[in-house]
PDB file of all heavy atoms in Angstrom:
ATOM      1  N   LEU B 100      18.489   9.728  28.122  1.00 95.00           N
ATOM      2  CA  LEU B 100      17.244   9.036  28.420  1.00 95.00           C
ATOM      3  C   LEU B 100      16.153   9.559  27.492  1.00 95.00           C
ATOM      4  O   LEU B 100      16.195  10.705  27.045  1.00 95.00           O
ATOM      5  CB  LEU B 100      16.799   9.244  29.874  1.00 95.00           C
ATOM      6  CG  LEU B 100      17.642   8.624  30.980  1.00 95.00           C
ATOM      7  CD1 LEU B 100      18.593   9.658  31.541  1.00 95.00           C
ATOM      8  CD2 LEU B 100      16.758   8.074  32.085  1.00 95.00           C
ATOM      9  N   MET B 163      15.384   7.487  37.158  1.00 93.00           N
ATOM     10  CA  MET B 163      16.085   8.135  36.056  1.00 93.00           C
ATOM     11  C   MET B 163      17.462   8.625  36.509  1.00 93.00           C
ATOM     12  O   MET B 163      18.461   8.472  35.798  1.00 93.00           O
ATOM     13  CB  MET B 163      15.246   9.297  35.510  1.00 93.00           C
ATOM     14  CG  MET B 163      13.943   8.864  34.836  1.00 93.00           C
ATOM     15  SD  MET B 163      12.782  10.234  34.547  1.00 93.00           S
ATOM     16  CE  MET B 163      13.616  11.150  33.265  1.00 93.00           C
ATOM     17  N   ARG B 172      22.024   4.310  29.460  1.00 94.00           N
ATOM     18  CA  ARG B 172      20.995   5.017  28.703  1.00 94.00           C
ATOM     19  C   ARG B 172      19.686   4.240  28.825  1.00 94.00           C
ATOM     20  O   ARG B 172      19.704   3.004  28.860  1.00 94.00           O
ATOM     21  CB  ARG B 172      21.414   5.177  27.242  1.00 94.00           C
ATOM     22  CG  ARG B 172      22.645   6.070  27.086  1.00 94.00           C
ATOM     23  CD  ARG B 172      23.054   6.221  25.640  1.00 94.00           C
ATOM     24  NE  ARG B 172      24.248   7.038  25.518  1.00 94.00           N
ATOM     25  CZ  ARG B 172      24.270   8.331  25.232  1.00 94.00           C
ATOM     26  NH1 ARG B 172      23.114   8.967  25.048  1.00 94.00           N
ATOM     27  NH2 ARG B 172      25.403   8.992  25.127  1.00 94.00           N
ATOM     28  N   ARG B 208      -9.567   5.019  22.403  1.00 79.00           N
ATOM     29  CA  ARG B 208     -10.652   4.295  23.090  1.00 79.00           C
ATOM     30  C   ARG B 208     -10.790   2.883  22.534  1.00 79.00           C
ATOM     31  O   ARG B 208     -10.993   1.922  23.291  1.00 79.00           O
ATOM     32  CB  ARG B 208     -11.969   5.054  22.934  1.00 79.00           C
ATOM     33  CG  ARG B 208     -13.136   4.408  23.689  1.00 79.00           C
ATOM     34  CD  ARG B 208     -14.393   5.258  23.588  1.00 79.00           C
ATOM     35  NE  ARG B 208     -14.253   6.516  24.278  1.00 79.00           N
ATOM     36  CZ  ARG B 208     -14.397   6.664  25.590  1.00 79.00           C
ATOM     37  NH1 ARG B 208     -14.672   5.607  26.349  1.00 79.00           N
ATOM     38  NH2 ARG B 208     -14.275   7.840  26.152  1.00 79.00           N
ATOM     39  N   ALA B 264      20.228   3.266  14.197  1.00 47.00           N
ATOM     40  CA  ALA B 264      19.692   1.946  14.532  1.00 47.00           C
ATOM     41  C   ALA B 264      19.101   1.382  13.264  1.00 47.00           C
ATOM     42  O   ALA B 264      18.663   2.121  12.378  1.00 47.00           O
ATOM     43  CB  ALA B 264      18.629   2.035  15.636  1.00 47.00           C
ATOM     44  N   GLU B 366       1.625  14.507 -19.752  1.00 95.00           N
ATOM     45  CA  GLU B 366       2.137  15.614 -20.561  1.00 95.00           C
ATOM     46  C   GLU B 366       1.687  15.343 -21.995  1.00 95.00           C
ATOM     47  O   GLU B 366       2.483  15.024 -22.877  1.00 95.00           O
ATOM     48  CB  GLU B 366       3.665  15.694 -20.463  1.00 95.00           C
ATOM     49  CG  GLU B 366       4.243  16.979 -21.027  1.00 95.00           C
ATOM     50  CD  GLU B 366       5.770  17.007 -20.995  1.00 95.00           C
ATOM     51  OE1 GLU B 366       6.396  15.953 -21.233  1.00 95.00           O
ATOM     52  OE2 GLU B 366       6.334  18.087 -20.748  1.00 95.00           O
ATOM     53  N   ILE B 373       4.748  12.186 -17.073  1.00 97.00           N
ATOM     54  CA  ILE B 373       5.745  13.062 -16.460  1.00 97.00           C
ATOM     55  C   ILE B 373       5.633  13.088 -14.939  1.00 97.00           C
ATOM     56  O   ILE B 373       4.535  13.070 -14.381  1.00 97.00           O
ATOM     57  CB  ILE B 373       5.633  14.495 -17.035  1.00 97.00           C
ATOM     58  CG1 ILE B 373       6.827  15.365 -16.617  1.00 97.00           C
ATOM     59  CG2 ILE B 373       4.321  15.150 -16.653  1.00 97.00           C
ATOM     60  CD1 ILE B 373       6.919  16.691 -17.351  1.00 97.00           C
ATOM     61  N   PRO B 405       1.849  -1.623 -11.602  1.00 98.00           N
ATOM     62  CA  PRO B 405       1.212  -2.612 -10.725  1.00 98.00           C
ATOM     63  C   PRO B 405       2.111  -3.053  -9.565  1.00 98.00           C
ATOM     64  O   PRO B 405       2.286  -4.244  -9.319  1.00 98.00           O
ATOM     65  CB  PRO B 405       0.935  -3.765 -11.681  1.00 98.00           C
ATOM     66  CG  PRO B 405       2.083  -3.703 -12.649  1.00 98.00           C
ATOM     67  CD  PRO B 405       2.381  -2.232 -12.837  1.00 98.00           C
ATOM     68  N   PRO B 434       9.722  -7.598  -7.834  1.00 98.00           N
ATOM     69  CA  PRO B 434      10.581  -6.435  -8.073  1.00 98.00           C
ATOM     70  C   PRO B 434       9.794  -5.292  -8.713  1.00 98.00           C
ATOM     71  O   PRO B 434       8.821  -5.519  -9.446  1.00 98.00           O
ATOM     72  CB  PRO B 434      11.655  -6.970  -9.018  1.00 98.00           C
ATOM     73  CG  PRO B 434      11.646  -8.450  -8.823  1.00 98.00           C
ATOM     74  CD  PRO B 434      10.223  -8.817  -8.506  1.00 98.00           C
ATOM     75  N   ASP B 526      23.450  26.933  -1.933  1.00 98.00           N
ATOM     76  CA  ASP B 526      23.990  25.686  -2.467  1.00 98.00           C
ATOM     77  C   ASP B 526      22.943  24.597  -2.342  1.00 98.00           C
ATOM     78  O   ASP B 526      22.367  24.412  -1.256  1.00 98.00           O
ATOM     79  CB  ASP B 526      25.241  25.256  -1.701  1.00 98.00           C
ATOM     80  CG  ASP B 526      26.418  26.182  -1.937  1.00 98.00           C
ATOM     81  OD1 ASP B 526      26.350  26.987  -2.876  1.00 98.00           O
ATOM     82  OD2 ASP B 526      27.403  26.100  -1.175  1.00 98.00           O
ATOM     83  N   TYR B 539      16.414  23.794 -14.698  1.00 98.00           N
ATOM     84  CA  TYR B 539      15.321  24.296 -15.531  1.00 98.00           C
ATOM     85  C   TYR B 539      15.108  25.770 -15.220  1.00 98.00           C
ATOM     86  O   TYR B 539      14.900  26.150 -14.053  1.00 98.00           O
ATOM     87  CB  TYR B 539      14.064  23.483 -15.235  1.00 98.00           C
ATOM     88  CG  TYR B 539      12.784  23.947 -15.894  1.00 98.00           C
ATOM     89  CD1 TYR B 539      12.706  24.185 -17.254  1.00 98.00           C
ATOM     90  CD2 TYR B 539      11.636  24.122 -15.128  1.00 98.00           C
ATOM     91  CE1 TYR B 539      11.526  24.598 -17.846  1.00 98.00           C
ATOM     92  CE2 TYR B 539      10.440  24.525 -15.706  1.00 98.00           C
ATOM     93  CZ  TYR B 539      10.388  24.764 -17.071  1.00 98.00           C
ATOM     94  OH  TYR B 539       9.210  25.161 -17.654  1.00 98.00           O
ATOM     95  N   ALA B 558      17.231  17.224  -7.878  1.00 98.00           N
ATOM     96  CA  ALA B 558      18.027  16.031  -7.570  1.00 98.00           C
ATOM     97  C   ALA B 558      17.297  14.813  -8.107  1.00 98.00           C
ATOM     98  O   ALA B 558      16.106  14.632  -7.845  1.00 98.00           O
ATOM     99  CB  ALA B 558      18.212  15.908  -6.062  1.00 98.00           C
ATOM    100  N   SER B 588      21.765  24.825   1.426  1.00 98.00           N
ATOM    101  CA  SER B 588      22.621  25.539   2.369  1.00 98.00           C
ATOM    102  C   SER B 588      22.774  26.992   1.907  1.00 98.00           C
ATOM    103  O   SER B 588      23.632  27.290   1.061  1.00 98.00           O
ATOM    104  CB  SER B 588      23.988  24.867   2.477  1.00 98.00           C
ATOM    105  OG  SER B 588      23.876  23.560   2.993  1.00 98.00           O
TER     106      SER B 588
END
Side-chain angles (χ1 to χ4, degrees):
L100 292 97
M163 293 166 70
R172 295 180 182 262
R208 183 176 293 279
E366 192 183 38
I373 191 169
D526 292 346
Y539 174 51
S588 297

